[in-house]
PDB file of all heavy atoms in Angstrom:
ATOM      1  N   LYS A  97       5.304   4.615  18.024  1.00 98.00           N
ATOM      2  CA  LYS A  97       4.625   4.591  16.721  1.00 98.00           C
ATOM      3  C   LYS A  97       3.156   4.983  16.889  1.00 98.00           C
ATOM      4  O   LYS A  97       2.607   5.770  16.128  1.00 98.00           O
ATOM      5  CB  LYS A  97       4.755   3.189  16.113  1.00 98.00           C
ATOM      6  CG  LYS A  97       4.171   3.042  14.734  1.00 98.00           C
ATOM      7  CD  LYS A  97       5.134   3.457  13.646  1.00 98.00           C
ATOM      8  CE  LYS A  97       4.485   3.360  12.278  1.00 98.00           C
ATOM      9  NZ  LYS A  97       5.407   3.670  11.189  1.00 98.00           N
ATOM     10  N   ARG A  98       2.520   4.415  17.926  1.00 98.00           N
ATOM     11  CA  ARG A  98       1.104   4.742  18.178  1.00 98.00           C
ATOM     12  C   ARG A  98       0.932   6.221  18.513  1.00 98.00           C
ATOM     13  O   ARG A  98      -0.123   6.809  18.243  1.00 98.00           O
ATOM     14  CB  ARG A  98       0.543   3.886  19.318  1.00 98.00           C
ATOM     15  CG  ARG A  98       0.285   2.471  18.907  1.00 98.00           C
ATOM     16  CD  ARG A  98      -0.196   1.549  19.994  1.00 98.00           C
ATOM     17  NE  ARG A  98       0.001   0.175  19.549  1.00 98.00           N
ATOM     18  CZ  ARG A  98      -0.810  -0.473  18.714  1.00 98.00           C
ATOM     19  NH1 ARG A  98      -1.894   0.103  18.269  1.00 98.00           N
ATOM     20  NH2 ARG A  98      -0.530  -1.707  18.304  1.00 98.00           N
ATOM     21  N   ALA A  99       1.956   6.815  19.108  1.00 98.00           N
ATOM     22  CA  ALA A  99       1.903   8.244  19.459  1.00 98.00           C
ATOM     23  C   ALA A  99       2.190   9.131  18.241  1.00 98.00           C
ATOM     24  O   ALA A  99       2.216  10.353  18.362  1.00 98.00           O
ATOM     25  CB  ALA A  99       2.898   8.542  20.572  1.00 98.00           C
ATOM     26  N   GLY A 100       2.448   8.515  17.097  1.00 97.00           N
ATOM     27  CA  GLY A 100       2.649   9.284  15.871  1.00 97.00           C
ATOM     28  C   GLY A 100       4.089   9.666  15.599  1.00 97.00           C
ATOM     29  O   GLY A 100       4.373  10.428  14.659  1.00 97.00           O
ATOM     30  N   VAL A 101       5.026   9.134  16.390  1.00 98.00           N
ATOM     31  CA  VAL A 101       6.435   9.521  16.239  1.00 98.00           C
ATOM     32  C   VAL A 101       6.985   9.021  14.889  1.00 98.00           C
ATOM     33  O   VAL A 101       6.774   7.875  14.505  1.00 98.00           O
ATOM     34  CB  VAL A 101       7.274   8.951  17.407  1.00 98.00           C
ATOM     35  CG1 VAL A 101       8.763   9.080  17.134  1.00 98.00           C
ATOM     36  CG2 VAL A 101       6.904   9.660  18.702  1.00 98.00           C
ATOM     37  N   THR A 102       7.672   9.921  14.199  1.00 98.00           N
ATOM     38  CA  THR A 102       8.230   9.586  12.886  1.00 98.00           C
ATOM     39  C   THR A 102       9.758   9.516  12.905  1.00 98.00           C
ATOM     40  O   THR A 102      10.364   8.928  12.023  1.00 98.00           O
ATOM     41  CB  THR A 102       7.819  10.649  11.850  1.00 98.00           C
ATOM     42  OG1 THR A 102       8.128  11.946  12.391  1.00 98.00           O
ATOM     43  CG2 THR A 102       6.325  10.559  11.544  1.00 98.00           C
ATOM     44  N   GLU A 103      10.385  10.194  13.859  1.00 97.00           N
ATOM     45  CA  GLU A 103      11.840  10.105  14.002  1.00 97.00           C
ATOM     46  C   GLU A 103      12.199  10.050  15.490  1.00 97.00           C
ATOM     47  O   GLU A 103      11.612  10.763  16.294  1.00 97.00           O
ATOM     48  CB  GLU A 103      12.622  11.236  13.306  1.00 97.00           C
ATOM     49  CG  GLU A 103      11.918  12.516  12.922  1.00 97.00           C
ATOM     50  CD  GLU A 103      11.492  12.549  11.464  1.00 97.00           C
ATOM     51  OE1 GLU A 103      12.332  12.761  10.574  1.00 97.00           O
ATOM     52  OE2 GLU A 103      10.273  12.371  11.227  1.00 97.00           O
ATOM     53  N   ILE A 104      13.167   9.196  15.805  1.00 98.00           N
ATOM     54  CA  ILE A 104      13.576   9.029  17.205  1.00 98.00           C
ATOM     55  C   ILE A 104      15.041   9.427  17.360  1.00 98.00           C
ATOM     56  O   ILE A 104      15.909   8.936  16.622  1.00 98.00           O
ATOM     57  CB  ILE A 104      13.410   7.559  17.666  1.00 98.00           C
ATOM     58  CG1 ILE A 104      11.923   7.180  17.741  1.00 98.00           C
ATOM     59  CG2 ILE A 104      14.081   7.333  19.034  1.00 98.00           C
ATOM     60  CD1 ILE A 104      11.661   5.716  18.089  1.00 98.00           C
ATOM     61  N   ILE A 105      15.284  10.295  18.334  1.00 98.00           N
ATOM     62  CA  ILE A 105      16.667  10.569  18.748  1.00 98.00           C
ATOM     63  C   ILE A 105      16.902   9.756  20.010  1.00 98.00           C
ATOM     64  O   ILE A 105      16.202   9.936  21.010  1.00 98.00           O
ATOM     65  CB  ILE A 105      16.874  12.066  19.076  1.00 98.00           C
ATOM     66  CG1 ILE A 105      16.426  12.951  17.919  1.00 98.00           C
ATOM     67  CG2 ILE A 105      18.333  12.334  19.445  1.00 98.00           C
ATOM     68  CD1 ILE A 105      16.320  14.433  18.291  1.00 98.00           C
ATOM     69  N   SER A 106      17.870   8.860  19.951  1.00 98.00           N
ATOM     70  CA  SER A 106      18.236   8.093  21.135  1.00 98.00           C
ATOM     71  C   SER A 106      19.410   8.798  21.807  1.00 98.00           C
ATOM     72  O   SER A 106      20.460   8.998  21.184  1.00 98.00           O
ATOM     73  CB  SER A 106      18.650   6.677  20.725  1.00 98.00           C
ATOM     74  OG  SER A 106      19.486   6.104  21.709  1.00 98.00           O
ATOM     75  N   VAL A 107      19.207   9.191  23.041  1.00 96.00           N
ATOM     76  CA  VAL A 107      20.277   9.869  23.793  1.00 96.00           C
ATOM     77  C   VAL A 107      20.802   8.865  24.815  1.00 96.00           C
ATOM     78  O   VAL A 107      20.076   8.453  25.709  1.00 96.00           O
ATOM     79  CB  VAL A 107      19.735  11.129  24.497  1.00 96.00           C
ATOM     80  CG1 VAL A 107      20.847  11.832  25.262  1.00 96.00           C
ATOM     81  CG2 VAL A 107      19.107  12.076  23.495  1.00 96.00           C
ATOM     82  N   SER A 108      22.059   8.449  24.638  1.00 97.00           N
ATOM     83  CA  SER A 108      22.568   7.324  25.418  1.00 97.00           C
ATOM     84  C   SER A 108      23.947   7.597  25.979  1.00 97.00           C
ATOM     85  O   SER A 108      24.794   8.208  25.311  1.00 97.00           O
ATOM     86  CB  SER A 108      22.663   6.083  24.520  1.00 97.00           C
ATOM     87  OG  SER A 108      21.382   5.579  24.271  1.00 97.00           O
ATOM     88  N   ALA A 109      24.179   7.079  27.176  1.00 96.00           N
ATOM     89  CA  ALA A 109      25.531   7.104  27.737  1.00 96.00           C
ATOM     90  C   ALA A 109      26.326   5.952  27.117  1.00 96.00           C
ATOM     91  O   ALA A 109      25.763   4.911  26.790  1.00 96.00           O
ATOM     92  CB  ALA A 109      25.460   6.923  29.252  1.00 96.00           C
ATOM     93  N   CYS A 110      27.629   6.151  26.964  1.00 98.00           N
ATOM     94  CA  CYS A 110      28.437   5.064  26.392  1.00 98.00           C
ATOM     95  C   CYS A 110      29.882   5.157  26.885  1.00 98.00           C
ATOM     96  O   CYS A 110      30.341   6.230  27.289  1.00 98.00           O
ATOM     97  CB  CYS A 110      28.410   5.110  24.865  1.00 98.00           C
ATOM     98  SG  CYS A 110      29.274   6.517  24.178  1.00 98.00           S
ATOM     99  N   GLY A 111      30.572   4.020  26.820  1.00 98.00           N
ATOM    100  CA  GLY A 111      32.002   4.000  27.066  1.00 98.00           C
ATOM    101  C   GLY A 111      32.738   4.198  25.754  1.00 98.00           C
ATOM    102  O   GLY A 111      32.188   3.915  24.679  1.00 98.00           O
ATOM    103  N   SER A 112      33.973   4.688  25.830  1.00 98.00           N
ATOM    104  CA  SER A 112      34.753   4.970  24.619  1.00 98.00           C
ATOM    105  C   SER A 112      35.897   3.968  24.457  1.00 98.00           C
ATOM    106  O   SER A 112      36.549   3.596  25.440  1.00 98.00           O
ATOM    107  CB  SER A 112      35.332   6.384  24.724  1.00 98.00           C
ATOM    108  OG  SER A 112      36.404   6.549  23.815  1.00 98.00           O
ATOM    109  N   PHE A 113      36.141   3.578  23.209  1.00 98.00           N
ATOM    110  CA  PHE A 113      37.267   2.694  22.907  1.00 98.00           C
ATOM    111  C   PHE A 113      38.425   3.427  22.245  1.00 98.00           C
ATOM    112  O   PHE A 113      39.372   2.803  21.788  1.00 98.00           O
ATOM    113  CB  PHE A 113      36.808   1.549  21.998  1.00 98.00           C
ATOM    114  CG  PHE A 113      35.926   0.543  22.693  1.00 98.00           C
ATOM    115  CD1 PHE A 113      34.738   0.129  22.119  1.00 98.00           C
ATOM    116  CD2 PHE A 113      36.288   0.004  23.923  1.00 98.00           C
ATOM    117  CE1 PHE A 113      33.936  -0.805  22.759  1.00 98.00           C
ATOM    118  CE2 PHE A 113      35.492  -0.926  24.564  1.00 98.00           C
ATOM    119  CZ  PHE A 113      34.308  -1.332  23.981  1.00 98.00           C
ATOM    120  N   GLU A 114      38.309   4.736  22.116  1.00 98.00           N
ATOM    121  CA  GLU A 114      39.382   5.491  21.452  1.00 98.00           C
ATOM    122  C   GLU A 114      39.798   6.679  22.297  1.00 98.00           C
ATOM    123  O   GLU A 114      38.941   7.409  22.814  1.00 98.00           O
ATOM    124  CB  GLU A 114      38.933   5.958  20.066  1.00 98.00           C
ATOM    125  CG  GLU A 114      38.847   4.810  19.087  1.00 98.00           C
ATOM    126  CD  GLU A 114      38.603   5.265  17.657  1.00 98.00           C
ATOM    127  OE1 GLU A 114      38.586   6.489  17.405  1.00 98.00           O
ATOM    128  OE2 GLU A 114      38.420   4.382  16.806  1.00 98.00           O
ATOM    129  N   GLU A 115      41.111   6.878  22.359  1.00 98.00           N
ATOM    130  CA  GLU A 115      41.689   7.975  23.143  1.00 98.00           C
ATOM    131  C   GLU A 115      41.014   9.308  22.834  1.00 98.00           C
ATOM    132  O   GLU A 115      40.635  10.060  23.740  1.00 98.00           O
ATOM    133  CB  GLU A 115      43.192   8.055  22.808  1.00 98.00           C
ATOM    134  CG  GLU A 115      43.949   9.140  23.504  1.00 98.00           C
ATOM    135  CD  GLU A 115      44.392   8.727  24.910  1.00 98.00           C
ATOM    136  OE1 GLU A 115      44.911   7.606  25.062  1.00 98.00           O
ATOM    137  OE2 GLU A 115      44.198   9.541  25.831  1.00 98.00           O
ATOM    138  N   GLN A 116      40.842   9.596  21.512  1.00 98.00           N
ATOM    139  CA  GLN A 116      40.348  10.945  21.166  1.00 98.00           C
ATOM    140  C   GLN A 116      38.849  11.112  21.411  1.00 98.00           C
ATOM    141  O   GLN A 116      38.344  12.234  21.389  1.00 98.00           O
ATOM    142  CB  GLN A 116      40.721  11.335  19.721  1.00 98.00           C
ATOM    143  CG  GLN A 116      39.802  10.862  18.632  1.00 98.00           C
ATOM    144  CD  GLN A 116      40.166   9.466  18.136  1.00 98.00           C
ATOM    145  OE1 GLN A 116      40.956   8.767  18.750  1.00 98.00           O
ATOM    146  NE2 GLN A 116      39.588   9.067  17.011  1.00 98.00           N
ATOM    147  N   LEU A 117      38.149  10.012  21.656  1.00 98.00           N
ATOM    148  CA  LEU A 117      36.725  10.131  22.004  1.00 98.00           C
ATOM    149  C   LEU A 117      36.626  10.239  23.524  1.00 98.00           C
ATOM    150  O   LEU A 117      36.255   9.297  24.226  1.00 98.00           O
ATOM    151  CB  LEU A 117      35.940   8.933  21.466  1.00 98.00           C
ATOM    152  CG  LEU A 117      35.990   8.728  19.947  1.00 98.00           C
ATOM    153  CD1 LEU A 117      35.217   7.488  19.543  1.00 98.00           C
ATOM    154  CD2 LEU A 117      35.452   9.963  19.214  1.00 98.00           C
ATOM    155  N   SER A 118      36.972  11.402  24.001  1.00 97.00           N
ATOM    156  CA  SER A 118      37.097  11.600  25.451  1.00 97.00           C
ATOM    157  C   SER A 118      35.717  11.850  26.072  1.00 97.00           C
ATOM    158  O   SER A 118      34.766  12.227  25.361  1.00 97.00           O
ATOM    159  CB  SER A 118      38.024  12.785  25.716  1.00 97.00           C
ATOM    160  OG  SER A 118      37.568  13.898  24.991  1.00 97.00           O
ATOM    161  N   PRO A 119      35.598  11.644  27.376  1.00 97.00           N
ATOM    162  CA  PRO A 119      34.325  11.914  28.040  1.00 97.00           C
ATOM    163  C   PRO A 119      33.811  13.311  27.690  1.00 97.00           C
ATOM    164  O   PRO A 119      34.566  14.287  27.693  1.00 97.00           O
ATOM    165  CB  PRO A 119      34.672  11.763  29.520  1.00 97.00           C
ATOM    166  CG  PRO A 119      35.750  10.724  29.518  1.00 97.00           C
ATOM    167  CD  PRO A 119      36.579  11.037  28.295  1.00 97.00           C
ATOM    168  N   GLY A 120      32.526  13.377  27.365  1.00 97.00           N
ATOM    169  CA  GLY A 120      31.927  14.641  26.938  1.00 97.00           C
ATOM    170  C   GLY A 120      31.700  14.693  25.440  1.00 97.00           C
ATOM    171  O   GLY A 120      30.900  15.498  24.960  1.00 97.00           O
ATOM    172  N   THR A 121      32.399  13.819  24.685  1.00 98.00           N
ATOM    173  CA  THR A 121      32.217  13.802  23.227  1.00 98.00           C
ATOM    174  C   THR A 121      30.870  13.172  22.884  1.00 98.00           C
ATOM    175  O   THR A 121      30.473  12.181  23.497  1.00 98.00           O
ATOM    176  CB  THR A 121      33.327  12.965  22.552  1.00 98.00           C
ATOM    177  OG1 THR A 121      34.596  13.416  23.022  1.00 98.00           O
ATOM    178  CG2 THR A 121      33.261  13.064  21.036  1.00 98.00           C
ATOM    179  N   PHE A 122      30.198  13.765  21.900  1.00 98.00           N
ATOM    180  CA  PHE A 122      28.947  13.184  21.392  1.00 98.00           C
ATOM    181  C   PHE A 122      29.285  12.433  20.093  1.00 98.00           C
ATOM    182  O   PHE A 122      29.763  13.037  19.129  1.00 98.00           O
ATOM    183  CB  PHE A 122      27.909  14.274  21.096  1.00 98.00           C
ATOM    184  CG  PHE A 122      27.234  14.831  22.328  1.00 98.00           C
ATOM    185  CD1 PHE A 122      27.784  14.703  23.595  1.00 98.00           C
ATOM    186  CD2 PHE A 122      26.010  15.483  22.214  1.00 98.00           C
ATOM    187  CE1 PHE A 122      27.158  15.216  24.730  1.00 98.00           C
ATOM    188  CE2 PHE A 122      25.364  16.001  23.343  1.00 98.00           C
ATOM    189  CZ  PHE A 122      25.935  15.867  24.596  1.00 98.00           C
ATOM    190  N   VAL A 123      29.028  11.144  20.069  1.00 98.00           N
ATOM    191  CA  VAL A 123      29.315  10.340  18.870  1.00 98.00           C
ATOM    192  C   VAL A 123      27.994  10.053  18.153  1.00 98.00           C
ATOM    193  O   VAL A 123      27.067   9.486  18.744  1.00 98.00           O
ATOM    194  CB  VAL A 123      30.021   9.011  19.236  1.00 98.00           C
ATOM    195  CG1 VAL A 123      30.325   8.199  17.984  1.00 98.00           C
ATOM    196  CG2 VAL A 123      31.303   9.284  20.032  1.00 98.00           C
ATOM    197  N   ILE A 124      27.931  10.470  16.883  1.00 98.00           N
ATOM    198  CA  ILE A 124      26.748  10.165  16.063  1.00 98.00           C
ATOM    199  C   ILE A 124      27.037   8.814  15.409  1.00 98.00           C
ATOM    200  O   ILE A 124      27.686   8.739  14.359  1.00 98.00           O
ATOM    201  CB  ILE A 124      26.504  11.252  14.975  1.00 98.00           C
ATOM    202  CG1 ILE A 124      26.642  12.671  15.531  1.00 98.00           C
ATOM    203  CG2 ILE A 124      25.155  11.029  14.291  1.00 98.00           C
ATOM    204  CD1 ILE A 124      25.564  13.136  16.433  1.00 98.00           C
ATOM    205  N   VAL A 125      26.572   7.792  16.067  1.00 98.00           N
ATOM    206  CA  VAL A 125      26.886   6.404  15.686  1.00 98.00           C
ATOM    207  C   VAL A 125      26.320   6.086  14.300  1.00 98.00           C
ATOM    208  O   VAL A 125      25.252   6.574  13.943  1.00 98.00           O
ATOM    209  CB  VAL A 125      26.249   5.482  16.753  1.00 98.00           C
ATOM    210  CG1 VAL A 125      26.173   4.060  16.294  1.00 98.00           C
ATOM    211  CG2 VAL A 125      26.972   5.628  18.085  1.00 98.00           C
TER     212      VAL A 125
END
Side-chain angles (χ1 to χ4, degrees):
K97 183 85 183 184
R98 285 177 197 280
V101 168
T102 51
E103 18 262 283
I104 292 176
I105 306 167
S106 157
V107 181
S108 286
C110 69
S112 162
F113 289 132
E114 288 188 5
E115 179 84 46
Q116 84 273 12
L117 301 178
S118 53
T121 309
F122 283 20
V123 181
I124 315 289
V125 164

